[in-house]
PDB file of all heavy atoms in Angstrom:
ATOM      1  N   SER W   1     -36.908  -6.641  14.156  1.00 89.00           N
ATOM      2  CA  SER W   1     -37.293  -6.741  15.557  1.00 89.00           C
ATOM      3  C   SER W   1     -36.410  -5.901  16.464  1.00 89.00           C
ATOM      4  O   SER W   1     -36.707  -5.748  17.633  1.00 89.00           O
ATOM      5  CB  SER W   1     -37.284  -8.204  16.017  1.00 89.00           C
ATOM      6  OG  SER W   1     -36.052  -8.816  15.742  1.00 89.00           O
ATOM      7  N   SER W   2     -35.337  -5.370  15.943  1.00 83.00           N
ATOM      8  CA  SER W   2     -34.475  -4.550  16.791  1.00 83.00           C
ATOM      9  C   SER W   2     -33.511  -3.792  15.909  1.00 83.00           C
ATOM     10  O   SER W   2     -33.001  -4.316  14.947  1.00 83.00           O
ATOM     11  CB  SER W   2     -33.693  -5.431  17.764  1.00 83.00           C
ATOM     12  OG  SER W   2     -32.508  -4.797  18.162  1.00 83.00           O
ATOM     13  N   ALA W   3     -33.287  -2.539  16.236  1.00 79.00           N
ATOM     14  CA  ALA W   3     -32.305  -1.755  15.479  1.00 79.00           C
ATOM     15  C   ALA W   3     -31.530  -0.886  16.467  1.00 79.00           C
ATOM     16  O   ALA W   3     -31.488   0.323  16.361  1.00 79.00           O
ATOM     17  CB  ALA W   3     -32.983  -0.919  14.401  1.00 79.00           C
ATOM     18  N   ARG W   4     -30.958  -1.535  17.475  1.00 84.00           N
ATOM     19  CA  ARG W   4     -30.119  -0.824  18.443  1.00 84.00           C
ATOM     20  C   ARG W   4     -28.706  -1.366  18.352  1.00 84.00           C
ATOM     21  O   ARG W   4     -28.499  -2.566  18.452  1.00 84.00           O
ATOM     22  CB  ARG W   4     -30.638  -1.037  19.868  1.00 84.00           C
ATOM     23  CG  ARG W   4     -31.834  -0.176  20.158  1.00 84.00           C
ATOM     24  CD  ARG W   4     -31.849   0.246  21.601  1.00 84.00           C
ATOM     25  NE  ARG W   4     -32.906   1.245  21.760  1.00 84.00           N
ATOM     26  CZ  ARG W   4     -33.149   1.867  22.887  1.00 84.00           C
ATOM     27  NH1 ARG W   4     -32.421   1.606  23.950  1.00 84.00           N
ATOM     28  NH2 ARG W   4     -34.106   2.766  22.960  1.00 84.00           N
ATOM     29  N   PRO W   5     -27.727  -0.503  18.177  1.00 88.00           N
ATOM     30  CA  PRO W   5     -26.356  -1.000  18.000  1.00 88.00           C
ATOM     31  C   PRO W   5     -25.788  -1.595  19.289  1.00 88.00           C
ATOM     32  O   PRO W   5     -26.003  -1.078  20.377  1.00 88.00           O
ATOM     33  CB  PRO W   5     -25.573   0.250  17.590  1.00 88.00           C
ATOM     34  CG  PRO W   5     -26.389   1.404  18.074  1.00 88.00           C
ATOM     35  CD  PRO W   5     -27.808   0.962  18.095  1.00 88.00           C
ATOM     36  N   ARG W   6     -25.103  -2.727  19.162  1.00 92.00           N
ATOM     37  CA  ARG W   6     -24.368  -3.292  20.286  1.00 92.00           C
ATOM     38  C   ARG W   6     -23.296  -4.233  19.761  1.00 92.00           C
ATOM     39  O   ARG W   6     -23.444  -4.811  18.685  1.00 92.00           O
ATOM     40  CB  ARG W   6     -25.276  -4.005  21.273  1.00 92.00           C
ATOM     41  CG  ARG W   6     -26.093  -5.137  20.687  1.00 92.00           C
ATOM     42  CD  ARG W   6     -27.563  -4.984  21.019  1.00 92.00           C
ATOM     43  NE  ARG W   6     -28.321  -6.169  20.615  1.00 92.00           N
ATOM     44  CZ  ARG W   6     -29.274  -6.133  19.713  1.00 92.00           C
ATOM     45  NH1 ARG W   6     -29.555  -5.025  19.081  1.00 92.00           N
ATOM     46  NH2 ARG W   6     -29.955  -7.216  19.417  1.00 92.00           N
ATOM     47  N   ARG W   7     -22.222  -4.379  20.529  1.00 94.00           N
ATOM     48  CA  ARG W   7     -21.064  -5.153  20.075  1.00 94.00           C
ATOM     49  C   ARG W   7     -21.284  -6.636  20.284  1.00 94.00           C
ATOM     50  O   ARG W   7     -21.748  -7.067  21.330  1.00 94.00           O
ATOM     51  CB  ARG W   7     -19.825  -4.674  20.826  1.00 94.00           C
ATOM     52  CG  ARG W   7     -18.557  -5.374  20.398  1.00 94.00           C
ATOM     53  CD  ARG W   7     -17.407  -4.410  20.207  1.00 94.00           C
ATOM     54  NE  ARG W   7     -17.624  -3.510  19.075  1.00 94.00           N
ATOM     55  CZ  ARG W   7     -16.855  -2.444  18.814  1.00 94.00           C
ATOM     56  NH1 ARG W   7     -15.837  -2.138  19.604  1.00 94.00           N
ATOM     57  NH2 ARG W   7     -17.126  -1.679  17.770  1.00 94.00           N
ATOM     58  N   LEU W   8     -20.938  -7.421  19.267  1.00 95.00           N
ATOM     59  CA  LEU W   8     -21.045  -8.877  19.330  1.00 95.00           C
ATOM     60  C   LEU W   8     -19.676  -9.538  19.475  1.00 95.00           C
ATOM     61  O   LEU W   8     -19.518 -10.506  20.206  1.00 95.00           O
ATOM     62  CB  LEU W   8     -21.753  -9.396  18.069  1.00 95.00           C
ATOM     63  CG  LEU W   8     -21.924 -10.899  17.928  1.00 95.00           C
ATOM     64  CD1 LEU W   8     -22.906 -11.439  18.972  1.00 95.00           C
ATOM     65  CD2 LEU W   8     -22.409 -11.269  16.525  1.00 95.00           C
ATOM     66  N   LEU W   9     -18.685  -9.030  18.758  1.00 96.00           N
ATOM     67  CA  LEU W   9     -17.374  -9.690  18.703  1.00 96.00           C
ATOM     68  C   LEU W   9     -16.288  -8.651  18.466  1.00 96.00           C
ATOM     69  O   LEU W   9     -16.474  -7.726  17.668  1.00 96.00           O
ATOM     70  CB  LEU W   9     -17.362 -10.705  17.533  1.00 96.00           C
ATOM     71  CG  LEU W   9     -16.003 -11.313  17.157  1.00 96.00           C
ATOM     72  CD1 LEU W   9     -15.600 -12.364  18.169  1.00 96.00           C
ATOM     73  CD2 LEU W   9     -16.054 -11.915  15.756  1.00 96.00           C
ATOM     74  N   ASP W  10     -15.153  -8.812  19.146  1.00 97.00           N
ATOM     75  CA  ASP W  10     -13.964  -7.996  18.879  1.00 97.00           C
ATOM     76  C   ASP W  10     -12.755  -8.888  19.094  1.00 97.00           C
ATOM     77  O   ASP W  10     -12.410  -9.217  20.230  1.00 97.00           O
ATOM     78  CB  ASP W  10     -13.928  -6.777  19.805  1.00 97.00           C
ATOM     79  CG  ASP W  10     -12.804  -5.805  19.448  1.00 97.00           C
ATOM     80  OD1 ASP W  10     -11.863  -6.216  18.736  1.00 97.00           O
ATOM     81  OD2 ASP W  10     -12.870  -4.641  19.878  1.00 97.00           O
ATOM     82  N   THR W  11     -12.128  -9.318  17.993  1.00 97.00           N
ATOM     83  CA  THR W  11     -11.012 -10.270  18.111  1.00 97.00           C
ATOM     84  C   THR W  11      -9.807  -9.650  18.815  1.00 97.00           C
ATOM     85  O   THR W  11      -8.933 -10.374  19.276  1.00 97.00           O
ATOM     86  CB  THR W  11     -10.565 -10.808  16.736  1.00 97.00           C
ATOM     87  OG1 THR W  11     -10.092  -9.713  15.934  1.00 97.00           O
ATOM     88  CG2 THR W  11     -11.711 -11.517  16.022  1.00 97.00           C
ATOM     89  N   ARG W  12      -9.789  -8.320  18.938  1.00 97.00           N
ATOM     90  CA  ARG W  12      -8.684  -7.689  19.661  1.00 97.00           C
ATOM     91  C   ARG W  12      -8.740  -8.031  21.148  1.00 97.00           C
ATOM     92  O   ARG W  12      -7.712  -8.007  21.827  1.00 97.00           O
ATOM     93  CB  ARG W  12      -8.715  -6.165  19.461  1.00 97.00           C
ATOM     94  CG  ARG W  12      -8.489  -5.749  18.015  1.00 97.00           C
ATOM     95  CD  ARG W  12      -8.734  -4.268  17.804  1.00 97.00           C
ATOM     96  NE  ARG W  12     -10.109  -3.890  18.148  1.00 97.00           N
ATOM     97  CZ  ARG W  12     -10.607  -2.673  17.943  1.00 97.00           C
ATOM     98  NH1 ARG W  12      -9.859  -1.743  17.390  1.00 97.00           N
ATOM     99  NH2 ARG W  12     -11.858  -2.396  18.277  1.00 97.00           N
ATOM    100  N   ASP W  13      -9.937  -8.369  21.643  1.00 97.00           N
ATOM    101  CA  ASP W  13     -10.073  -8.704  23.065  1.00 97.00           C
ATOM    102  C   ASP W  13      -9.286  -9.965  23.422  1.00 97.00           C
ATOM    103  O   ASP W  13      -8.767 -10.086  24.530  1.00 97.00           O
ATOM    104  CB  ASP W  13     -11.547  -8.913  23.432  1.00 97.00           C
ATOM    105  CG  ASP W  13     -12.352  -7.625  23.341  1.00 97.00           C
ATOM    106  OD1 ASP W  13     -11.736  -6.541  23.327  1.00 97.00           O
ATOM    107  OD2 ASP W  13     -13.597  -7.703  23.276  1.00 97.00           O
ATOM    108  N   SER W  14      -9.253 -10.914  22.486  1.00 95.00           N
ATOM    109  CA  SER W  14      -8.549 -12.181  22.756  1.00 95.00           C
ATOM    110  C   SER W  14      -7.249 -12.277  21.974  1.00 95.00           C
ATOM    111  O   SER W  14      -6.512 -13.244  22.086  1.00 95.00           O
ATOM    112  CB  SER W  14      -9.441 -13.359  22.366  1.00 95.00           C
ATOM    113  OG  SER W  14      -9.733 -13.305  20.981  1.00 95.00           O
ATOM    114  N   ASP W  15      -6.986 -11.259  21.149  1.00 91.00           N
ATOM    115  CA  ASP W  15      -5.815 -11.236  20.264  1.00 91.00           C
ATOM    116  C   ASP W  15      -5.765 -12.448  19.338  1.00 91.00           C
ATOM    117  O   ASP W  15      -4.701 -12.926  18.974  1.00 91.00           O
ATOM    118  CB  ASP W  15      -4.518 -11.102  21.066  1.00 91.00           C
ATOM    119  CG  ASP W  15      -3.443 -10.375  20.244  1.00 91.00           C
ATOM    120  OD1 ASP W  15      -3.827  -9.518  19.432  1.00 91.00           O
ATOM    121  OD2 ASP W  15      -2.242 -10.684  20.384  1.00 91.00           O
ATOM    122  N   GLN W  16      -6.946 -12.957  18.968  1.00 94.00           N
ATOM    123  CA  GLN W  16      -7.025 -14.057  18.005  1.00 94.00           C
ATOM    124  C   GLN W  16      -7.432 -13.482  16.662  1.00 94.00           C
ATOM    125  O   GLN W  16      -8.616 -13.279  16.404  1.00 94.00           O
ATOM    126  CB  GLN W  16      -8.057 -15.089  18.466  1.00 94.00           C
ATOM    127  CG  GLN W  16      -7.596 -15.946  19.613  1.00 94.00           C
ATOM    128  CD  GLN W  16      -6.467 -16.890  19.204  1.00 94.00           C
ATOM    129  OE1 GLN W  16      -5.317 -16.697  19.581  1.00 94.00           O
ATOM    130  NE2 GLN W  16      -6.791 -17.888  18.406  1.00 94.00           N
ATOM    131  N   ARG W  17      -6.451 -13.210  15.797  1.00 97.00           N
ATOM    132  CA  ARG W  17      -6.750 -12.612  14.509  1.00 97.00           C
ATOM    133  C   ARG W  17      -7.468 -13.620  13.601  1.00 97.00           C
ATOM    134  O   ARG W  17      -7.265 -14.827  13.717  1.00 97.00           O
ATOM    135  CB  ARG W  17      -5.463 -12.131  13.839  1.00 97.00           C
ATOM    136  CG  ARG W  17      -4.809 -10.981  14.574  1.00 97.00           C
ATOM    137  CD  ARG W  17      -3.388 -10.719  14.052  1.00 97.00           C
ATOM    138  NE  ARG W  17      -3.402 -10.251  12.675  1.00 97.00           N
ATOM    139  CZ  ARG W  17      -3.534  -8.976  12.305  1.00 97.00           C
ATOM    140  NH1 ARG W  17      -3.689  -8.041  13.230  1.00 97.00           N
ATOM    141  NH2 ARG W  17      -3.509  -8.644  11.041  1.00 97.00           N
ATOM    142  N   LEU W  18      -8.294 -13.092  12.704  1.00 98.00           N
ATOM    143  CA  LEU W  18      -8.918 -13.923  11.681  1.00 98.00           C
ATOM    144  C   LEU W  18      -7.895 -14.097  10.560  1.00 98.00           C
ATOM    145  O   LEU W  18      -7.476 -13.108   9.948  1.00 98.00           O
ATOM    146  CB  LEU W  18     -10.177 -13.240  11.150  1.00 98.00           C
ATOM    147  CG  LEU W  18     -10.871 -13.900   9.966  1.00 98.00           C
ATOM    148  CD1 LEU W  18     -11.433 -15.269  10.331  1.00 98.00           C
ATOM    149  CD2 LEU W  18     -11.990 -13.008   9.433  1.00 98.00           C
ATOM    150  N   ALA W  19      -7.495 -15.336  10.304  1.00 98.00           N
ATOM    151  CA  ALA W  19      -6.469 -15.604   9.294  1.00 98.00           C
ATOM    152  C   ALA W  19      -7.052 -16.462   8.181  1.00 98.00           C
ATOM    153  O   ALA W  19      -7.811 -17.403   8.440  1.00 98.00           O
ATOM    154  CB  ALA W  19      -5.276 -16.317   9.934  1.00 98.00           C
ATOM    155  N   ALA W  20      -6.683 -16.118   6.943  1.00 98.00           N
ATOM    156  CA  ALA W  20      -7.177 -16.883   5.800  1.00 98.00           C
ATOM    157  C   ALA W  20      -6.794 -18.352   5.929  1.00 98.00           C
ATOM    158  O   ALA W  20      -7.581 -19.248   5.609  1.00 98.00           O
ATOM    159  CB  ALA W  20      -6.625 -16.288   4.504  1.00 98.00           C
ATOM    160  N   ALA W  21      -5.581 -18.604   6.440  1.00 97.00           N
ATOM    161  CA  ALA W  21      -5.087 -19.977   6.533  1.00 97.00           C
ATOM    162  C   ALA W  21      -5.905 -20.826   7.503  1.00 97.00           C
ATOM    163  O   ALA W  21      -5.941 -22.054   7.388  1.00 97.00           O
ATOM    164  CB  ALA W  21      -3.622 -19.965   6.979  1.00 97.00           C
ATOM    165  N   ASP W  22      -6.571 -20.182   8.452  1.00 97.00           N
ATOM    166  CA  ASP W  22      -7.335 -20.921   9.458  1.00 97.00           C
ATOM    167  C   ASP W  22      -8.769 -21.224   9.019  1.00 97.00           C
ATOM    168  O   ASP W  22      -9.497 -21.918   9.729  1.00 97.00           O
ATOM    169  CB  ASP W  22      -7.399 -20.125  10.775  1.00 97.00           C
ATOM    170  CG  ASP W  22      -6.029 -19.949  11.398  1.00 97.00           C
ATOM    171  OD1 ASP W  22      -5.125 -20.746  11.064  1.00 97.00           O
ATOM    172  OD2 ASP W  22      -5.862 -19.019  12.212  1.00 97.00           O
ATOM    173  N   GLY W  23      -9.186 -20.653   7.877  1.00 96.00           N
ATOM    174  CA  GLY W  23     -10.555 -20.864   7.437  1.00 96.00           C
ATOM    175  C   GLY W  23     -11.514 -19.935   8.166  1.00 96.00           C
ATOM    176  O   GLY W  23     -11.106 -19.052   8.920  1.00 96.00           O
ATOM    177  N   PRO W  24     -12.816 -20.127   7.961  1.00 97.00           N
ATOM    178  CA  PRO W  24     -13.794 -19.181   8.507  1.00 97.00           C
ATOM    179  C   PRO W  24     -13.907 -19.250  10.026  1.00 97.00           C
ATOM    180  O   PRO W  24     -13.692 -20.303  10.636  1.00 97.00           O
ATOM    181  CB  PRO W  24     -15.112 -19.597   7.847  1.00 97.00           C
ATOM    182  CG  PRO W  24     -14.896 -20.989   7.368  1.00 97.00           C
ATOM    183  CD  PRO W  24     -13.439 -21.145   7.105  1.00 97.00           C
TER     184      PRO W  24
END
C-alpha cells in the first residue's frame, strides 16, 4: 500500500540506546 521512505524511530534523538540487558 505504500513504498515511500520515511523515518519512524531514531534512538539518537532521545539518547536511549537499545541494550540487550533491557530486553526488546
Side-chain angles (χ1 to χ4, degrees):
S1 53
S2 155
R4 282 213 171 183
R6 58 232 188 243
R7 182 135 293 170
L8 178 68
L9 169 76
D10 187 342
T11 62
R12 296 171 300 186
D13 293 342
S14 61
D15 209 32
Q16 286 292 108
R17 293 168 66 87
L18 174 65
D22 296 339

